[in-house]
Every structure is written in structure tokens, then in C-alpha cells.
Amino acid sequence: MTHTESAWAKINLTLDILGKRPDGYHEMKMVMQSIDLCDDLELSEREAPGTAVSSTLPYLPRDGGNIAAKAAEAFFAHLGRPAPGLDIHIRKQIPVCAGMAGGSSDAAAVLRLLRRHYAPSMPEEELEAVAAQVGSDVPYCVRGGTALARGRGEILTDLPPLPACYFAVCKPTFPISTPELFAQVRTRRLHCHPDTAGMISALEQGDLEGVAHRLYNVFEDVLPRKYAQVFEIKRSLLDLGAIAASMTGSGPTVFGLFRDEENARQAADALKAHFPAAFFCKNVGRAV
Ligand code: C5P
């Protein structure tokens, strides 16, 4: 029997880096939002032992090197029982190395599926603790919706949903590696920070203008010059009618926030003429 699950991408409404931790990770404060761009996962048991991963992108790892397989391994290790043989197939639509948590969301979808079928009474916090072993963004991806993420990214607080709005999302032609960009960060040299408290109160008040004007990602301030296309796409999104635009995660994907659905669709279409990975998106609520 094959089980299916959607793995939603995320964007950062804010991303702040508070400092470097003794464990080598960075202390984060981020307002995260799921969007309706998703990978589709299929999971089935098989006779042969181990987890095999296949996907529509031939260069993704096919075995234990794939974060989706790591999630399955961590789940059964946590349950203290041998893992059954598993086949995972991923229809990739979320761009890779793009700042939209594509891999983390695949891992999170695997964890949601495995809980549903092997441990339905496992509390959500327990599943998120397993997710934290797999990657910093995986606990948020298990939950989805609008949330504040702190610590490495694994300390989560639900936030009120975004007021009605639409996104045009566009990935430049190059990827960015998350560890590479974290290596650029010298936290004492980050002089500007997002108004996270203001973002949260704008969400509480359903104030779309307030949300739009507080989009801020400190990674933009340490972006090497070779990635300047990020700022060109931001400019294009504003010219195309976005209220505001920002990079998501460690980039390079940029999103524009629009009040009007048709305007966002047209902006995504206009960008698609130059960039293959351009999408019209809506926000989505919690996955669990
Ligand atoms: O947790 P995850 O494996 O997704 O993190 C990938 C890399 O990103 C880490 O090895 C680290 O270099 C960096 N990172 C960080 N601080 C975080 C999250 C990730 O420095 N809070």
C-alpha cells in the first residue's frame, strides 16, 4: 500500500541571527510561513531492508544520504524498533538549495506519514523532538503554518495566520549552500535586525501593511556580491506591484507580497519569462 503526503515549502517573513552558539550552530529568531508550493511524497513498505529514495531529480541522493531517509531512520531509532524496508518517492517541485526548506519539508512529510501509520498516539512534541535530530528546520516543517522559530529553529510558537495575501516567488539561476552563507555571518557586525515583535503584533492585528513593511532577512546584509541578482529580482517584484519583497532563508529565493491575487499571478508570469523557478503562491495553515 502506498501512502502520500504533501511537503510544503516555507518562506521567512523575518530572519534574525542573534549569535553563534558553543555547539557551532547559530541562535535564530524567525517568523516562518508555509506556502502552497509542495513536493509530493509516496511511501510504501518493501521486502528488501533499508530505505530507498527515488525522485524526479536524478542527482538527489537515493539512499541514507537523503534527508528523507535520515528522517525514517531517526523515527524508528526513536521507537526502538527495527525499521521496515521502505521505498520513498519524491516528486520535487520545491527548488533545491533555495532557502525554502525543500529537503527539510520532505523529511517532515516522511515523519508525519510514519507517525500516522506506525505510532498514531505519538504526541506532536515528541515528533518535533525527533525532527530536531534530523535538521534545524525540520520541526517547523512538521508543523507548518505561521510560527515563530527560535533556538536553532526548533523552539516553535504558533502565530496568528497571515491576513489574506498572495506571493510571487522567484529563485535566481544559482543555488546557495546554507553552511556557506552562515560562514559569512559575524554577528557583531549585524547592525540591523528585524522588528520581530512588531511583525508578531502586525499578525495579531491582521495588519497586512504592517507585516509587509517588517519583512526582513539579515542574510541579505551578508550576501556576497556575486549573488547581486537577488536584489535585482527584489527590485523587479516591487516594480511589478509587490507591497514588499524579501529573500527567504539562506536564499537565494526572493518573494514579493501582494494584496491582489491577479497582480501576484501576473508578476510570477513576468518573472517566469527570465527565471524557470518562478511561482505564484498562497499561504497555507498548519500541517498537523
Ligand atoms: O540543522 P541543519 O543540518 O539543517 O543545518 C545545516 C547547517 O546550517 C549547519 O551545519 C550549520 O552550518 C548551519 N546552521 C547554523 N545555525 C542554525 C541552523 C543551521 O549555523 N541555527
Side-chain angles (χ1 to χ4, degrees):
M1 176 142 174
T2 300
H3 307 288
T4 59
E5 181 76 6
S6 298
W8 306 107
K10 65 89 182 156
I11 54 174
N12 287 85
L13 302 181
T14 64
L15 188 152
D16 202 2
I17 303 174
L18 305 180
K20 190 149 188 198
R21 307 170 10 153
D23 63 4
Y25 283 87
H26 291 79
E27 193 68 17
M28 311 295 291
K29 199 196 258 184
M30 310 180 275
V31 177
M32 320 277 259
Q33 175 64 55
S34 311
I35 54 172
D36 65 353
L37 173 64
C38 70
D39 293 343
D40 296 314
L41 268 88
E42 289 177 4
L43 183 144
S44 48
E45 279 200 21
R46 60 173 194 166
E47 297 275 311
T51 301
V53 183
S54 60
S55 85
T56 47
L57 293 182
Y59 53 83
L60 293 186
R62 303 180 68 84
D63 50 20
N66 191 299
I67 190 169
K70 287 184 187 154
E73 200 178 294
F75 181 85
F76 288 104
H78 176 79
L79 289 187
R81 63 189 250 194
L86 293 174
D87 271 322
I88 298 174
H89 181 69
I90 309 173
R91 192 162 73 87
K92 282 300 288 182
Q93 292 172 115
I94 307 173
V96 175
C97 290
M100 286 191 280
S104 300
S105 70
D106 294 342
V110 167
L111 292 174
R112 286 197 301 270
L113 270 173
L114 293 176
R115 175 173 71 159
R116 199 173 305 146
H117 296 288
Y118 296 95
S121 59
M122 180 189 285
E124 196 182 307
E125 310 80 66
E126 199 174 322
L127 190 66
E128 288 178 2
V130 178
Q133 297 169 26
V134 183
S136 303
D137 282 344
V138 184
Y140 164 73
C141 292
V142 164
R143 183 185 295 210
T146 314
L148 175 69
R150 291 174 300 126
R152 269 167 59 212
E154 83 287 18
I155 304 171
L156 300 171
T157 311
D158 284 335
L159 293 173
L162 260 182
C165 64
Y166 306 91
F167 300 101
V169 176
C170 179
K171 181 184 165 284
T173 44
F174 47 84
I176 293 183
S177 129
T178 301
E180 183 205 324
L181 201 56
F182 267 115
Q184 301 287 327
V185 175
R186 301 283 172 274
T187 42
R188 267 170 300 160
R189 297 211 195 125
L190 290 176
H191 298 302
C192 294
H193 294 272
D195 175 12
T196 311
M199 175 62 84
I200 293 170
S201 43
L203 287 166
E204 283 165 354
Q205 288 158 28
D207 168 14
L208 187 61
E209 291 284 331
V211 168
H213 292 127
R214 288 180 178 85
L215 297 182
Y216 197 94
N217 181 341
V218 297
F219 273 131
E220 286 184 27
D221 301 336
V222 298
L223 211 55
R225 285 171 95 90
K226 62 181 173 179
Y227 299 139
Q229 201 177 59
V230 164
F231 301 107
E232 289 162 22
I233 297 174
K234 270 182 82 170
R235 185 70 255 161
S236 301
L237 283 161
L238 296 172
D239 291 344
L240 289 162
I243 319 175
S246 184
M247 190 173 81
T248 175
S250 54
T253 304
V254 176
F255 65 94
L257 188 155
F258 294 77
R259 188 186 309 286
D260 179 68
E261 179 169 356
E262 198 43 40
N263 192 181
R265 282 186 195 280
Q266 285 168 354
D269 284 346
L271 288 164
K272 216 170 265 173
H274 306 281
F275 301 96
F279 310 90
F280 162 78
C281 296
K282 297 179 190 166
N283 50 304
V284 291
R286 280 190 60 147
V288 286

